[in-house]
Amino acid sequence: MRLKTLPSEFQKALPILSKIKESGYEAYFVGGSVRDAILERPIHDVDIATSAYPEEIKKIFSRTVDVGIEHGTILVLEEDEEYEITTFRTEEAYVDYRRPSQVHFVRSLKEDLKRRDFTVNAFALNHTSEVIDLFGGLKDLEEKTLRAVGDAKERFNEDALRIMRGLRFMASLGFSIEEKTLAAMIDNTFLLERISVERIFIELDKLLMAPFWQKGLAQLVSSNVYQFLPELKNSKKQLEVMLNDLPFHFHFESSEQAWAYLLISLNTKTIKPFLKQWKTSNDFQKTVENLVTVYQIRLEREISRQDVYRFGKEIIKQVESLREAKGLSFNYDKIVEIDRQLTIHNKREILVNGSQLMALYQLEPGPKLGKLLSEIESQMVAGHLDNTEDAILSFVERRLAGE
C-alpha cells in the first residue's frame, strides 16, 4: 500500500533519506511511527533504518553524534533537527533477556525487520510513501491484532520487556493479542523479574495513561503479569477493584493521578516505600502521596481553605475528577473560589520575613520566632490577616504585648 498523505514529520525528514539513497544505500522510515501514520495517529519519533554502516553515515553527513554506534545508531543533526539513523542489523543471543550479546550489521531490510517485536511495528516506509510489509502487519492492523514477528516465544525470550510493551500497545491501540503470542507472553512472565524496574515503570505508566488502559490492565491481571511486578504480587482482587470502579470512558489526567488511584485501590498505607520500589523520583512520590491524602480527606469531609493552601487546587481538582468518575459528590467551583479567596498560596509570599522581625523587635532565631511566623501564616490562610506590612506588624506587636 501507499500512504495517501505523508505526515509532515516524514516530509521534513525526506531529505535525509534522499541523501542516503544518493550515496548508494537504502534508507526507510521504520517502526511505530509508520504504524501510526497508517492509522492516522499523531507521530512522535521518526526512526530511520539504513543499509549504510555507521562509518558510512558519518561520511554522508557533516554533523553527527555517536549516540549508540556500537549498536549501529548515529544521531544526524540537520536543519536544526535531530534524526537517529540505525544500520540494518541482526542480533546474537540475549544475555540478560534485554540486550543482545552482540549485533551484526547487515545490508538486508528483511533481516533487520525480523528482529522487531510485533508485526504492526515491523513496517518500513520508503521515500515514495510505499509501505513495506513483510510480516502481515497490515492485515493485523485491519483486524486490530497484536502478533509477534516470527516465533513468539523467541521474541519474548530475547527481550522480556516486550511483554509489558505488548500490554501497553493493547492499551494505546485498543487491539487484542493473538492467541499464540499471548500464550508465549504468559509462559515468559517470570522473566520480567530480570528486567530493570525503571523500564517496567515506563511501560506500566504509559499503559495507565493510554485511552484503553482498562483493556491493557485487565490483560495484565488475567495473564498474571502483575505477580512479577514490584509490590503487586497477590493483588488480583484489588486490581480488579481498580478496573471495575471507574467507567470505561475515564482517562487519567496525569501519571501521578493514575498511580494514586492504583495505590488507593490497593489500599496501600505506605505510599513512599511502595513508589521507591518502582524507583520513582521524590517529587513524583510527594505528589502521589498528596493525591492519596486528599482522597482520604474527601471521604470524611469537605475541602477547607487550609487544604487548598496545603495541597494546591490542581491536586484537589484531580481528586474531584476521581470522585466524579466514581459517582461521588464533587465541587470544582468551590475549590476555584477558595483558591481565589486565599491571601497567599505560599509562605514565601508573606511580605514580612523572619529577618525583618528579628531586626525590628530584637528577636532571636528559635522556637519563639518560628511560632510567630507560623501564626502569621495560619492567620492569613484562615482569612483573618491581610498580607500588608502594617497588618502583619500590628499583629506581631499584639502577640508580643500579650506575652
Side-chain angles (χ1 to χ4, degrees), residues 100-130:
S101 56
Q102 194 174 357
V103 301
H104 298 288
F105 303 143
V106 295
R107 302 290 189 185
S108 165
L109 173 65
K110 183 175 182 178
E111 287 300 311
D112 182 76
L113 295 180
K114 273 169 60 175
R115 65 182 179 81
R116 307 279 168 165
D117 50 11
F118 302 99
T119 62
V120 298
N121 294 333
F123 297 116
L125 182 71
N126 68 17
H127 67 291
T128 66
S129 301
E130 181 186 0

PDB file of all heavy atoms in Angstrom, residues 100-130:
ATOM      1  N   PRO A 100      21.138  -7.758  23.465  1.00  0.00           N
ATOM      2  CA  PRO A 100      21.839  -8.811  22.714  1.00  0.00           C
ATOM      3  C   PRO A 100      23.311  -8.840  23.088  1.00  0.00           C
ATOM      4  O   PRO A 100      23.910  -7.806  23.391  1.00  0.00           O
ATOM      5  CB  PRO A 100      21.650  -8.371  21.261  1.00  0.00           C
ATOM      6  CG  PRO A 100      21.453  -6.886  21.318  1.00  0.00           C
ATOM      7  CD  PRO A 100      20.737  -6.625  22.608  1.00  0.00           C
ATOM      8  N   SER A 101      23.880 -10.036  23.085  1.00  0.00           N
ATOM      9  CA  SER A 101      25.302 -10.160  23.419  1.00  0.00           C
ATOM     10  C   SER A 101      26.166  -9.521  22.345  1.00  0.00           C
ATOM     11  O   SER A 101      27.273  -9.060  22.611  1.00  0.00           O
ATOM     12  CB  SER A 101      25.674 -11.638  23.580  1.00  0.00           C
ATOM     13  OG  SER A 101      25.333 -12.356  22.403  1.00  0.00           O
ATOM     14  N   GLN A 102      25.638  -9.480  21.114  1.00  0.00           N
ATOM     15  CA  GLN A 102      26.398  -8.894  20.010  1.00  0.00           C
ATOM     16  C   GLN A 102      25.444  -8.561  18.867  1.00  0.00           C
ATOM     17  O   GLN A 102      24.438  -9.232  18.675  1.00  0.00           O
ATOM     18  CB  GLN A 102      27.473  -9.888  19.535  1.00  0.00           C
ATOM     19  CG  GLN A 102      28.519  -9.264  18.638  1.00  0.00           C
ATOM     20  CD  GLN A 102      29.633 -10.257  18.328  1.00  0.00           C
ATOM     21  OE1 GLN A 102      29.635 -11.377  18.821  1.00  0.00           O
ATOM     22  NE2 GLN A 102      30.568  -9.862  17.500  1.00  0.00           N
ATOM     23  N   VAL A 103      25.733  -7.494  18.143  1.00  0.00           N
ATOM     24  CA  VAL A 103      24.941  -7.175  16.952  1.00  0.00           C
ATOM     25  C   VAL A 103      25.839  -7.259  15.726  1.00  0.00           C
ATOM     26  O   VAL A 103      27.052  -7.037  15.805  1.00  0.00           O
ATOM     27  CB  VAL A 103      24.301  -5.761  17.043  1.00  0.00           C
ATOM     28  CG1 VAL A 103      23.390  -5.651  18.248  1.00  0.00           C
ATOM     29  CG2 VAL A 103      25.359  -4.663  17.070  1.00  0.00           C
ATOM     30  N   HIS A 104      25.219  -7.612  14.598  1.00  0.00           N
ATOM     31  CA  HIS A 104      25.952  -7.690  13.330  1.00  0.00           C
ATOM     32  C   HIS A 104      25.246  -6.787  12.321  1.00  0.00           C
ATOM     33  O   HIS A 104      24.034  -6.903  12.121  1.00  0.00           O
ATOM     34  CB  HIS A 104      25.979  -9.124  12.805  1.00  0.00           C
ATOM     35  CG  HIS A 104      26.666 -10.088  13.716  1.00  0.00           C
ATOM     36  ND1 HIS A 104      28.027 -10.103  13.898  1.00  0.00           N
ATOM     37  CD2 HIS A 104      26.164 -11.071  14.523  1.00  0.00           C
ATOM     38  CE1 HIS A 104      28.351 -11.050  14.757  1.00  0.00           C
ATOM     39  NE2 HIS A 104      27.235 -11.650  15.166  1.00  0.00           N
ATOM     40  N   PHE A 105      25.986  -5.882  11.709  1.00  0.00           N
ATOM     41  CA  PHE A 105      25.408  -5.010  10.700  1.00  0.00           C
ATOM     42  C   PHE A 105      25.210  -5.790   9.403  1.00  0.00           C
ATOM     43  O   PHE A 105      26.069  -6.580   9.005  1.00  0.00           O
ATOM     44  CB  PHE A 105      26.311  -3.801  10.458  1.00  0.00           C
ATOM     45  CG  PHE A 105      26.586  -3.007  11.713  1.00  0.00           C
ATOM     46  CD1 PHE A 105      27.831  -2.433  11.933  1.00  0.00           C
ATOM     47  CD2 PHE A 105      25.605  -2.839  12.677  1.00  0.00           C
ATOM     48  CE1 PHE A 105      28.092  -1.707  13.084  1.00  0.00           C
ATOM     49  CE2 PHE A 105      25.852  -2.110  13.837  1.00  0.00           C
ATOM     50  CZ  PHE A 105      27.099  -1.546  14.043  1.00  0.00           C
ATOM     51  N   VAL A 106      24.063  -5.564   8.786  1.00  0.00           N
ATOM     52  CA  VAL A 106      23.747  -6.270   7.540  1.00  0.00           C
ATOM     53  C   VAL A 106      23.218  -5.258   6.520  1.00  0.00           C
ATOM     54  O   VAL A 106      22.907  -4.118   6.848  1.00  0.00           O
ATOM     55  CB  VAL A 106      22.693  -7.381   7.777  1.00  0.00           C
ATOM     56  CG1 VAL A 106      23.253  -8.464   8.683  1.00  0.00           C
ATOM     57  CG2 VAL A 106      21.404  -6.816   8.360  1.00  0.00           C
ATOM     58  N   ARG A 107      23.093  -5.708   5.276  1.00  0.00           N
ATOM     59  CA  ARG A 107      22.583  -4.836   4.216  1.00  0.00           C
ATOM     60  C   ARG A 107      21.108  -5.133   3.896  1.00  0.00           C
ATOM     61  O   ARG A 107      20.522  -4.473   3.061  1.00  0.00           O
ATOM     62  CB  ARG A 107      23.410  -5.044   2.939  1.00  0.00           C
ATOM     63  CG  ARG A 107      24.908  -4.778   3.086  1.00  0.00           C
ATOM     64  CD  ARG A 107      25.223  -3.313   3.283  1.00  0.00           C
ATOM     65  NE  ARG A 107      26.678  -3.065   3.194  1.00  0.00           N
ATOM     66  CZ  ARG A 107      27.257  -1.893   3.429  1.00  0.00           C
ATOM     67  NH1 ARG A 107      26.522  -0.858   3.767  1.00  0.00           N
ATOM     68  NH2 ARG A 107      28.565  -1.771   3.325  1.00  0.00           N
ATOM     69  N   SER A 108      20.517  -6.097   4.596  1.00  0.00           N
ATOM     70  CA  SER A 108      19.175  -6.571   4.249  1.00  0.00           C
ATOM     71  C   SER A 108      18.103  -5.976   5.158  1.00  0.00           C
ATOM     72  O   SER A 108      18.153  -6.151   6.385  1.00  0.00           O
ATOM     73  CB  SER A 108      19.119  -8.099   4.340  1.00  0.00           C
ATOM     74  OG  SER A 108      17.789  -8.565   4.351  1.00  0.00           O
ATOM     75  N   LEU A 109      17.109  -5.317   4.583  1.00  0.00           N
ATOM     76  CA  LEU A 109      15.985  -4.776   5.346  1.00  0.00           C
ATOM     77  C   LEU A 109      15.207  -5.898   6.025  1.00  0.00           C
ATOM     78  O   LEU A 109      14.821  -5.782   7.198  1.00  0.00           O
ATOM     79  CB  LEU A 109      15.051  -3.970   4.434  1.00  0.00           C
ATOM     80  CG  LEU A 109      13.737  -3.487   5.063  1.00  0.00           C
ATOM     81  CD1 LEU A 109      14.012  -2.485   6.178  1.00  0.00           C
ATOM     82  CD2 LEU A 109      12.821  -2.880   4.010  1.00  0.00           C
ATOM     83  N   LYS A 110      14.983  -6.994   5.312  1.00  0.00           N
ATOM     84  CA  LYS A 110      14.195  -8.093   5.879  1.00  0.00           C
ATOM     85  C   LYS A 110      14.861  -8.656   7.130  1.00  0.00           C
ATOM     86  O   LYS A 110      14.191  -8.933   8.134  1.00  0.00           O
ATOM     87  CB  LYS A 110      14.017  -9.205   4.837  1.00  0.00           C
ATOM     88  CG  LYS A 110      13.142 -10.345   5.352  1.00  0.00           C
ATOM     89  CD  LYS A 110      12.873 -11.387   4.263  1.00  0.00           C
ATOM     90  CE  LYS A 110      11.952 -12.473   4.817  1.00  0.00           C
ATOM     91  NZ  LYS A 110      11.606 -13.482   3.801  1.00  0.00           N
ATOM     92  N   GLU A 111      16.176  -8.835   7.073  1.00  0.00           N
ATOM     93  CA  GLU A 111      16.888  -9.354   8.243  1.00  0.00           C
ATOM     94  C   GLU A 111      16.731  -8.414   9.432  1.00  0.00           C
ATOM     95  O   GLU A 111      16.623  -8.859  10.576  1.00  0.00           O
ATOM     96  CB  GLU A 111      18.374  -9.556   7.912  1.00  0.00           C
ATOM     97  CG  GLU A 111      18.657 -10.735   7.015  1.00  0.00           C
ATOM     98  CD  GLU A 111      18.202 -12.045   7.639  1.00  0.00           C
ATOM     99  OE1 GLU A 111      18.534 -12.287   8.817  1.00  0.00           O
ATOM    100  OE2 GLU A 111      17.499 -12.820   6.963  1.00  0.00           O
ATOM    101  N   ASP A 112      16.701  -7.117   9.179  1.00  0.00           N
ATOM    102  CA  ASP A 112      16.547  -6.135  10.245  1.00  0.00           C
ATOM    103  C   ASP A 112      15.138  -6.194  10.834  1.00  0.00           C
ATOM    104  O   ASP A 112      14.960  -6.210  12.057  1.00  0.00           O
ATOM    105  CB  ASP A 112      16.817  -4.732   9.708  1.00  0.00           C
ATOM    106  CG  ASP A 112      16.724  -3.663  10.791  1.00  0.00           C
ATOM    107  OD1 ASP A 112      17.673  -3.559  11.590  1.00  0.00           O
ATOM    108  OD2 ASP A 112      15.701  -2.955  10.855  1.00  0.00           O
ATOM    109  N   LEU A 113      14.126  -6.249   9.980  1.00  0.00           N
ATOM    110  CA  LEU A 113      12.744  -6.224  10.453  1.00  0.00           C
ATOM    111  C   LEU A 113      12.360  -7.515  11.166  1.00  0.00           C
ATOM    112  O   LEU A 113      11.450  -7.520  12.002  1.00  0.00           O
ATOM    113  CB  LEU A 113      11.788  -5.965   9.284  1.00  0.00           C
ATOM    114  CG  LEU A 113      11.913  -4.596   8.597  1.00  0.00           C
ATOM    115  CD1 LEU A 113      10.916  -4.485   7.455  1.00  0.00           C
ATOM    116  CD2 LEU A 113      11.709  -3.452   9.595  1.00  0.00           C
ATOM    117  N   LYS A 114      13.052  -8.610  10.872  1.00  0.00           N
ATOM    118  CA  LYS A 114      12.762  -9.905  11.504  1.00  0.00           C
ATOM    119  C   LYS A 114      12.935  -9.863  13.023  1.00  0.00           C
ATOM    120  O   LYS A 114      12.342 -10.660  13.746  1.00  0.00           O
ATOM    121  CB  LYS A 114      13.696 -10.998  10.941  1.00  0.00           C
ATOM    122  CG  LYS A 114      13.170 -11.654   9.678  1.00  0.00           C
ATOM    123  CD  LYS A 114      14.240 -12.523   9.030  1.00  0.00           C
ATOM    124  CE  LYS A 114      14.709 -13.631   9.937  1.00  0.00           C
ATOM    125  NZ  LYS A 114      15.673 -14.522   9.222  1.00  0.00           N
ATOM    126  N   ARG A 115      13.752  -8.944  13.517  1.00  0.00           N
ATOM    127  CA  ARG A 115      14.040  -8.909  14.949  1.00  0.00           C
ATOM    128  C   ARG A 115      13.081  -7.990  15.713  1.00  0.00           C
ATOM    129  O   ARG A 115      13.212  -7.818  16.927  1.00  0.00           O
ATOM    130  CB  ARG A 115      15.487  -8.454  15.185  1.00  0.00           C
ATOM    131  CG  ARG A 115      15.737  -7.045  14.750  1.00  0.00           C
ATOM    132  CD  ARG A 115      17.176  -6.578  14.927  1.00  0.00           C
ATOM    133  NE  ARG A 115      17.312  -5.218  14.458  1.00  0.00           N
ATOM    134  CZ  ARG A 115      16.970  -4.139  15.161  1.00  0.00           C
ATOM    135  NH1 ARG A 115      16.474  -4.277  16.367  1.00  0.00           N
ATOM    136  NH2 ARG A 115      17.125  -2.923  14.660  1.00  0.00           N
ATOM    137  N   ARG A 116      12.105  -7.374  15.020  1.00  0.00           N
ATOM    138  CA  ARG A 116      11.155  -6.478  15.679  1.00  0.00           C
ATOM    139  C   ARG A 116      10.195  -7.275  16.560  1.00  0.00           C
ATOM    140  O   ARG A 116      10.054  -8.488  16.409  1.00  0.00           O
ATOM    141  CB  ARG A 116      10.378  -5.676  14.637  1.00  0.00           C
ATOM    142  CG  ARG A 116      11.257  -4.931  13.645  1.00  0.00           C
ATOM    143  CD  ARG A 116      11.775  -3.631  14.198  1.00  0.00           C
ATOM    144  NE  ARG A 116      12.839  -3.060  13.368  1.00  0.00           N
ATOM    145  CZ  ARG A 116      13.254  -1.808  13.470  1.00  0.00           C
ATOM    146  NH1 ARG A 116      12.702  -0.998  14.335  1.00  0.00           N
ATOM    147  NH2 ARG A 116      14.243  -1.380  12.708  1.00  0.00           N
ATOM    148  N   ASP A 117       9.492  -6.588  17.454  1.00  0.00           N
ATOM    149  CA  ASP A 117       8.627  -7.293  18.400  1.00  0.00           C
ATOM    150  C   ASP A 117       7.307  -7.756  17.797  1.00  0.00           C
ATOM    151  O   ASP A 117       7.001  -8.946  17.767  1.00  0.00           O
ATOM    152  CB  ASP A 117       8.389  -6.441  19.658  1.00  0.00           C
ATOM    153  CG  ASP A 117       7.957  -5.012  19.342  1.00  0.00           C
ATOM    154  OD1 ASP A 117       7.631  -4.707  18.175  1.00  0.00           O
ATOM    155  OD2 ASP A 117       7.937  -4.185  20.276  1.00  0.00           O
ATOM    156  N   PHE A 118       6.497  -6.815  17.284  1.00  0.00           N
ATOM    157  CA  PHE A 118       5.175  -7.159  16.768  1.00  0.00           C
ATOM    158  C   PHE A 118       5.063  -6.770  15.305  1.00  0.00           C
ATOM    159  O   PHE A 118       5.714  -5.821  14.849  1.00  0.00           O
ATOM    160  CB  PHE A 118       4.090  -6.459  17.592  1.00  0.00           C
ATOM    161  CG  PHE A 118       4.136  -6.806  19.056  1.00  0.00           C
ATOM    162  CD1 PHE A 118       4.730  -5.953  19.978  1.00  0.00           C
ATOM    163  CD2 PHE A 118       3.612  -8.009  19.509  1.00  0.00           C
ATOM    164  CE1 PHE A 118       4.798  -6.277  21.326  1.00  0.00           C
ATOM    165  CE2 PHE A 118       3.671  -8.354  20.852  1.00  0.00           C
ATOM    166  CZ  PHE A 118       4.264  -7.484  21.767  1.00  0.00           C
ATOM    167  N   THR A 119       4.226  -7.480  14.575  1.00  0.00           N
ATOM    168  CA  THR A 119       4.103  -7.222  13.136  1.00  0.00           C
ATOM    169  C   THR A 119       3.687  -5.792  12.839  1.00  0.00           C
ATOM    170  O   THR A 119       4.107  -5.232  11.832  1.00  0.00           O
ATOM    171  CB  THR A 119       3.071  -8.184  12.507  1.00  0.00           C
ATOM    172  OG1 THR A 119       1.780  -7.960  13.110  1.00  0.00           O
ATOM    173  CG2 THR A 119       3.480  -9.634  12.692  1.00  0.00           C
ATOM    174  N   VAL A 120       2.881  -5.190  13.716  1.00  0.00           N
ATOM    175  CA  VAL A 120       2.418  -3.818  13.467  1.00  0.00           C
ATOM    176  C   VAL A 120       3.513  -2.786  13.746  1.00  0.00           C
ATOM    177  O   VAL A 120       3.324  -1.599  13.504  1.00  0.00           O
ATOM    178  CB  VAL A 120       1.154  -3.497  14.293  1.00  0.00           C
ATOM    179  CG1 VAL A 120       0.005  -4.402  13.894  1.00  0.00           C
ATOM    180  CG2 VAL A 120       1.424  -3.573  15.792  1.00  0.00           C
ATOM    181  N   ASN A 121       4.651  -3.267  14.267  1.00  0.00           N
ATOM    182  CA  ASN A 121       5.817  -2.396  14.469  1.00  0.00           C
ATOM    183  C   ASN A 121       6.942  -2.745  13.500  1.00  0.00           C
ATOM    184  O   ASN A 121       8.050  -2.218  13.620  1.00  0.00           O
ATOM    185  CB  ASN A 121       6.339  -2.514  15.902  1.00  0.00           C
ATOM    186  CG  ASN A 121       5.355  -1.986  16.916  1.00  0.00           C
ATOM    187  OD1 ASN A 121       4.544  -1.110  16.611  1.00  0.00           O
ATOM    188  ND2 ASN A 121       5.404  -2.508  18.127  1.00  0.00           N
ATOM    189  N   ALA A 122       6.665  -3.632  12.566  1.00  0.00           N
ATOM    190  CA  ALA A 122       7.715  -4.118  11.669  1.00  0.00           C
ATOM    191  C   ALA A 122       7.541  -3.600  10.242  1.00  0.00           C
ATOM    192  O   ALA A 122       7.968  -4.236   9.287  1.00  0.00           O
ATOM    193  CB  ALA A 122       7.734  -5.651  11.678  1.00  0.00           C
ATOM    194  N   PHE A 123       6.912  -2.449  10.102  1.00  0.00           N
ATOM    195  CA  PHE A 123       6.764  -1.835   8.785  1.00  0.00           C
ATOM    196  C   PHE A 123       8.001  -1.014   8.431  1.00  0.00           C
ATOM    197  O   PHE A 123       8.741  -0.557   9.309  1.00  0.00           O
ATOM    198  CB  PHE A 123       5.567  -0.869   8.770  1.00  0.00           C
ATOM    199  CG  PHE A 123       4.238  -1.514   9.019  1.00  0.00           C
ATOM    200  CD1 PHE A 123       3.492  -1.185  10.142  1.00  0.00           C
ATOM    201  CD2 PHE A 123       3.713  -2.440   8.126  1.00  0.00           C
ATOM    202  CE1 PHE A 123       2.265  -1.765  10.381  1.00  0.00           C
ATOM    203  CE2 PHE A 123       2.481  -3.026   8.356  1.00  0.00           C
ATOM    204  CZ  PHE A 123       1.756  -2.691   9.485  1.00  0.00           C
ATOM    205  N   ALA A 124       8.172  -0.803   7.138  1.00  0.00           N
ATOM    206  CA  ALA A 124       9.134   0.185   6.641  1.00  0.00           C
ATOM    207  C   ALA A 124       8.392   1.057   5.634  1.00  0.00           C
ATOM    208  O   ALA A 124       7.430   0.612   5.003  1.00  0.00           O
ATOM    209  CB  ALA A 124      10.327  -0.503   5.989  1.00  0.00           C
ATOM    210  N   LEU A 125       8.824   2.294   5.520  1.00  0.00           N
ATOM    211  CA  LEU A 125       8.192   3.239   4.599  1.00  0.00           C
ATOM    212  C   LEU A 125       9.284   3.885   3.759  1.00  0.00           C
ATOM    213  O   LEU A 125      10.240   4.446   4.308  1.00  0.00           O
ATOM    214  CB  LEU A 125       7.436   4.311   5.394  1.00  0.00           C
ATOM    215  CG  LEU A 125       6.659   5.369   4.597  1.00  0.00           C
ATOM    216  CD1 LEU A 125       5.430   4.740   3.950  1.00  0.00           C
ATOM    217  CD2 LEU A 125       6.242   6.522   5.515  1.00  0.00           C
ATOM    218  N   ASN A 126       9.155   3.783   2.425  1.00  0.00           N
ATOM    219  CA  ASN A 126      10.223   4.346   1.590  1.00  0.00           C
ATOM    220  C   ASN A 126       9.927   5.787   1.182  1.00  0.00           C
ATOM    221  O   ASN A 126       8.909   6.367   1.575  1.00  0.00           O
ATOM    222  CB  ASN A 126      10.493   3.452   0.371  1.00  0.00           C
ATOM    223  CG  ASN A 126       9.329   3.449  -0.615  1.00  0.00           C
ATOM    224  OD1 ASN A 126       8.449   4.317  -0.602  1.00  0.00           O
ATOM    225  ND2 ASN A 126       9.330   2.465  -1.517  1.00  0.00           N
ATOM    226  N   HIS A 127      10.809   6.356   0.374  1.00  0.00           N
ATOM    227  CA  HIS A 127      10.725   7.787   0.021  1.00  0.00           C
ATOM    228  C   HIS A 127       9.537   8.101  -0.875  1.00  0.00           C
ATOM    229  O   HIS A 127       9.170   9.269  -1.041  1.00  0.00           O
ATOM    230  CB  HIS A 127      12.032   8.228  -0.648  1.00  0.00           C
ATOM    231  CG  HIS A 127      12.264   7.591  -1.987  1.00  0.00           C
ATOM    232  ND1 HIS A 127      12.542   6.261  -2.135  1.00  0.00           N
ATOM    233  CD2 HIS A 127      12.237   8.117  -3.242  1.00  0.00           C
ATOM    234  CE1 HIS A 127      12.698   5.978  -3.417  1.00  0.00           C
ATOM    235  NE2 HIS A 127      12.517   7.090  -4.111  1.00  0.00           N
ATOM    236  N   THR A 128       8.895   7.072  -1.444  1.00  0.00           N
ATOM    237  CA  THR A 128       7.723   7.304  -2.302  1.00  0.00           C
ATOM    238  C   THR A 128       6.417   7.045  -1.546  1.00  0.00           C
ATOM    239  O   THR A 128       5.356   6.903  -2.156  1.00  0.00           O
ATOM    240  CB  THR A 128       7.778   6.406  -3.551  1.00  0.00           C
ATOM    241  OG1 THR A 128       7.651   5.031  -3.154  1.00  0.00           O
ATOM    242  CG2 THR A 128       9.057   6.604  -4.327  1.00  0.00           C
ATOM    243  N   SER A 129       6.485   6.947  -0.210  1.00  0.00           N
ATOM    244  CA  SER A 129       5.322   6.713   0.666  1.00  0.00           C
ATOM    245  C   SER A 129       4.763   5.310   0.560  1.00  0.00           C
ATOM    246  O   SER A 129       3.628   5.042   0.956  1.00  0.00           O
ATOM    247  CB  SER A 129       4.203   7.731   0.386  1.00  0.00           C
ATOM    248  OG  SER A 129       4.652   9.042   0.582  1.00  0.00           O
ATOM    249  N   GLU A 130       5.542   4.382   0.012  1.00  0.00           N
ATOM    250  CA  GLU A 130       5.095   2.996  -0.080  1.00  0.00           C
ATOM    251  C   GLU A 130       5.410   2.259   1.218  1.00  0.00           C
ATOM    252  O   GLU A 130       6.536   2.298   1.713  1.00  0.00           O
ATOM    253  CB  GLU A 130       5.794   2.287  -1.242  1.00  0.00           C
ATOM    254  CG  GLU A 130       5.352   0.830  -1.418  1.00  0.00           C
ATOM    255  CD  GLU A 130       6.163   0.102  -2.471  1.00  0.00           C
ATOM    256  OE1 GLU A 130       7.064   0.720  -3.073  1.00  0.00           O
ATOM    257  OE2 GLU A 130       5.886  -1.096  -2.680  1.00  0.00           O
TER     258      GLU A 130
END
